[in-house]
Amino acid sequence: MTDTSQRTNPDSGSGGTSPLSKRGGGDPGTRGRTTIADGVVEKIAGMAARDVVGVHAMGSGLSRTFGAVRDRVPGGGKSVTRGVKAEVGESQAALDLEIVVDYGVSIADVARDVRGNVVAEVERMTGLEVVEVNIAVSDVKLPDEDDDEDEPSQRVQ
C-alpha cells in the first residue's frame, strides 16, 4: 500500500506548510455545534413583531394583564416574549404569535408585515430556517379604550 498524502519536508527547502501540520484540521467555524434556545428566538420574534406599524400589543388580554402586574414589580421588567411561542430544532424554527392590532388597520396587511419581519429577523440573526409563523389576532385596540399597559393613575394627589 502506498501513501498518497503529500507532506512538506522542512529540510526540503520549499518553505511551505503542510495541511497536516495545522491543529484541529478544517475550518474553525465548523468545529463544534451551536444550539439556540427557544427563548432566544421568542425574543427576536417579539421585537420584530412589535416593530410593525399597526401592532398595538402582544398576547391575549389575560397574559397582558398578568404582564402589566409583573412589569410593575421591581426587577420584573417588560416581557418581550409575551404572546410569542417558538419551537426550535437543529436547523428550523416554527413560531406562534398572538397580537392585538390598532383599530382601522388592515389585519391582513399587518399579519403579512409581521410575518415578513419576523421571518427576516429570525433567519438573519440565527441562521435558522423559519418554516411557519402562525398569527392569532386576539383583540383590536379601539381609540377610546384605556391602555392596560399604561402606568396606573395615582390614587392620591
Side-chain angles (χ1 to χ4, degrees):
M1 183 152 91
T2 60
D3 184 14
T4 59
S5 64
Q6 295 180 335
R7 296 183 184 170
T8 303
N9 184 349
D11 297 330
S12 68
S14 69
T17 59
S18 165
L20 298 176
S21 68
K22 290 183 181 177
R23 288 191 164 175
D27 177 24
T30 61
R31 298 180 201 169
R33 201 172 80 173
T34 302
T35 57
I36 300 172
D38 293 1
V40 172
V41 174
E42 289 170 357
K43 283 184 180 183
I44 295 167
M47 292 297 293
R50 284 173 174 77
D51 285 346
V52 174
V53 174
V55 174
H56 178 75
M58 301 286 296
S60 66
L62 186 59
S63 72
R64 289 194 331 268
T65 301
F66 284 132
V69 170
R70 185 178 57 243
D71 293 347
R72 291 183 184 100
V73 173
K78 288 199 179 256
S79 176
V80 178
T81 61
R82 185 181 312 144
V84 182
K85 176 68 178 132
E87 292 180 35
V88 180
E90 287 186 27
S91 62
Q92 296 179 328
L95 294 144
D96 295 321
L97 305 176
E98 190 170 1
I99 65 173
V100 176
V101 297
D102 290 321
Y103 178 79
V105 299
S106 166
I107 293 174
D109 290 346
V110 170
R112 183 191 65 240
D113 293 346
V114 166
R115 193 171 284 114
N117 205 32
V118 166
V119 168
E121 287 302 298
V122 169
E123 288 184 348
R124 180 185 70 80
M125 292 183 69
T126 65
L128 296 168
E129 176 191 8
V130 178
V131 293
E132 69 180 8
V133 178
N134 299 312
I135 298 173
V137 179
S138 62
D139 201 359
V140 173
K141 168 66 171 78
L142 300 175
D144 58 346
E145 284 181 332
D146 287 337
D147 197 355
D148 291 341
E149 296 183 5
D150 284 345
E151 292 297 315
S153 58
Q154 293 182 354
R155 290 176 42 168
V156 270
Q157 299 209 14

